[in-house]
Short mmCIF file of all heavy atoms in Angstrom, two decimals:
data_model
loop_
_atom_site.label_atom_id
_atom_site.label_comp_id
_atom_site.label_asym_id
_atom_site.label_seq_id
_atom_site.Cartn_x
_atom_site.Cartn_y
_atom_site.Cartn_z
N ALA J 84 2.67 1.59 -3.18
CA ALA J 84 1.95 1.97 -4.43
C ALA J 84 1.51 3.46 -4.32
O ALA J 84 1.14 4.08 -5.37
CB ALA J 84 0.73 1.05 -4.39
N SER J 85 1.46 3.99 -3.01
CA SER J 85 0.97 5.46 -2.88
C SER J 85 2.19 6.37 -3.19
O SER J 85 1.88 7.61 -3.17
CB SER J 85 0.41 5.61 -1.56
OG SER J 85 1.43 5.43 -0.57
N GLY J 86 3.38 5.84 -3.39
CA GLY J 86 4.43 6.74 -3.78
C GLY J 86 5.45 6.95 -2.56
O GLY J 86 6.33 7.94 -2.75
N CYS J 87 5.31 6.33 -1.50
CA CYS J 87 6.18 6.50 -0.40
C CYS J 87 7.68 5.93 -0.77
O CYS J 87 7.79 4.78 -0.96
CB CYS J 87 5.70 5.87 0.91
SG CYS J 87 4.21 6.51 1.61
N VAL J 88 8.63 6.78 -0.76
CA VAL J 88 9.90 6.53 -1.17
C VAL J 88 10.58 5.43 -0.19
O VAL J 88 11.17 4.53 -0.69
CB VAL J 88 10.90 7.75 -1.28
CG1 VAL J 88 12.27 7.27 -1.71
CG2 VAL J 88 10.24 8.69 -2.22
N PHE J 89 10.35 5.70 1.14
CA PHE J 89 10.86 4.68 2.12
C PHE J 89 9.84 3.80 2.72
O PHE J 89 9.61 3.75 3.88
CB PHE J 89 11.60 5.52 3.24
CG PHE J 89 12.76 6.42 2.75
CD1 PHE J 89 12.43 7.90 2.44
CD2 PHE J 89 13.90 6.02 2.25
CE1 PHE J 89 13.36 8.70 1.98
CE2 PHE J 89 14.98 6.80 1.73
CZ PHE J 89 14.62 8.17 1.67
N ALA J 90 9.01 3.20 1.82
CA ALA J 90 7.73 2.50 2.19
C ALA J 90 8.25 1.43 3.28
O ALA J 90 7.48 1.25 4.29
CB ALA J 90 7.16 1.79 1.01
N GLU J 91 9.26 0.71 3.08
CA GLU J 91 9.51 -0.44 4.05
C GLU J 91 9.87 0.09 5.43
O GLU J 91 9.42 -0.35 6.47
CB GLU J 91 10.67 -1.25 3.56
CG GLU J 91 10.35 -2.24 2.31
CD GLU J 91 10.25 -1.39 1.00
OE1 GLU J 91 10.72 -0.14 1.02
OE2 GLU J 91 9.75 -1.88 0.02
N ASP J 92 10.65 1.17 5.39
CA ASP J 92 11.10 1.74 6.77
C ASP J 92 9.88 2.35 7.45
O ASP J 92 9.71 2.14 8.61
CB ASP J 92 12.12 2.88 6.51
CG ASP J 92 13.51 2.43 6.04
OD1 ASP J 92 13.78 1.21 6.25
OD2 ASP J 92 14.26 3.10 5.39
N GLU J 93 8.96 2.99 6.59
CA GLU J 93 7.79 3.67 7.25
C GLU J 93 6.89 2.52 7.79
O GLU J 93 6.30 2.63 8.82
CB GLU J 93 7.13 4.54 6.26
CG GLU J 93 7.94 5.70 5.82
CD GLU J 93 7.03 6.67 5.02
OE1 GLU J 93 5.85 6.52 4.87
OE2 GLU J 93 7.59 7.64 4.65
N ALA J 94 6.79 1.43 6.99
CA ALA J 94 5.96 0.35 7.46
C ALA J 94 6.38 -0.22 8.78
O ALA J 94 5.56 -0.59 9.64
CB ALA J 94 5.90 -0.74 6.37
N ARG J 95 7.75 -0.31 8.96
CA ARG J 95 8.22 -0.93 10.29
C ARG J 95 7.89 0.08 11.37
O ARG J 95 7.56 -0.33 12.46
CB ARG J 95 9.71 -0.95 10.07
CG ARG J 95 10.19 -2.30 9.38
CD ARG J 95 11.71 -2.65 9.62
NE ARG J 95 12.49 -1.65 8.87
CZ ARG J 95 12.87 -1.95 7.57
NH1 ARG J 95 12.47 -2.95 6.87
NH2 ARG J 95 13.59 -1.01 6.92
N LEU J 96 8.04 1.42 11.15
CA LEU J 96 7.72 2.42 12.19
C LEU J 96 6.26 2.27 12.55
O LEU J 96 5.82 2.42 13.67
CB LEU J 96 8.08 3.76 11.70
CG LEU J 96 9.61 4.16 11.63
CD1 LEU J 96 9.79 5.45 10.94
CD2 LEU J 96 10.20 4.14 13.08
N ILE J 97 5.31 2.08 11.57
CA ILE J 97 3.86 1.98 11.89
C ILE J 97 3.70 0.86 12.62
O ILE J 97 2.91 0.76 13.63
CB ILE J 97 3.11 2.01 10.50
CG1 ILE J 97 3.17 3.40 9.92
CG2 ILE J 97 1.72 1.59 10.73
CD1 ILE J 97 2.44 3.56 8.64
N LEU J 98 4.19 -0.34 12.26
CA LEU J 98 4.04 -1.63 13.01
C LEU J 98 4.41 -1.53 14.44
O LEU J 98 3.81 -2.01 15.48
CB LEU J 98 4.62 -2.75 12.26
CG LEU J 98 3.95 -3.12 10.97
CD1 LEU J 98 4.91 -4.14 10.22
CD2 LEU J 98 2.65 -3.68 11.21
N ASP J 99 5.65 -0.85 14.64
CA ASP J 99 6.28 -0.73 15.91
C ASP J 99 5.40 0.15 16.83
O ASP J 99 5.39 0.10 18.05
CB ASP J 99 7.65 -0.17 15.90
CG ASP J 99 8.64 -1.16 15.34
OD1 ASP J 99 8.36 -2.30 15.34
OD2 ASP J 99 9.74 -0.72 14.90
N THR J 100 4.74 1.15 16.18
CA THR J 100 3.87 2.17 16.96
C THR J 100 2.41 1.60 17.27
O THR J 100 1.90 1.91 18.33
CB THR J 100 3.81 3.53 16.19
OG1 THR J 100 5.20 3.90 15.98
CG2 THR J 100 3.11 4.54 17.00
N ALA J 101 1.94 0.96 16.29
CA ALA J 101 0.56 0.55 16.35
C ALA J 101 0.31 -0.47 17.46
O ALA J 101 1.23 -1.38 17.73
CB ALA J 101 0.01 0.06 15.11
N GLY J 102 -0.82 -0.52 18.15
CA GLY J 102 -0.99 -1.49 19.17
C GLY J 102 -1.67 -2.73 18.76
O GLY J 102 -1.83 -3.80 19.37
N SER J 103 -2.19 -2.76 17.46
CA SER J 103 -2.72 -3.86 16.89
C SER J 103 -2.82 -3.82 15.39
O SER J 103 -2.64 -2.79 14.77
CB SER J 103 -4.25 -3.89 17.38
OG SER J 103 -5.01 -2.85 16.82
N PRO J 104 -2.96 -4.98 14.73
CA PRO J 104 -3.06 -5.03 13.26
C PRO J 104 -3.97 -4.00 12.71
O PRO J 104 -3.85 -3.38 11.67
CB PRO J 104 -3.45 -6.42 12.97
CG PRO J 104 -2.92 -7.15 14.08
CD PRO J 104 -3.19 -6.34 15.30
#
Side-chain angles (χ1 to χ4, degrees):
S85 68
C87 294
V88 177
F89 303 105
E91 288 78 11
D92 292 337
E93 293 189 7
R95 280 192 290 271
L96 288 171
I97 288 173
L98 289 171
D99 289 343
T100 302
S103 70

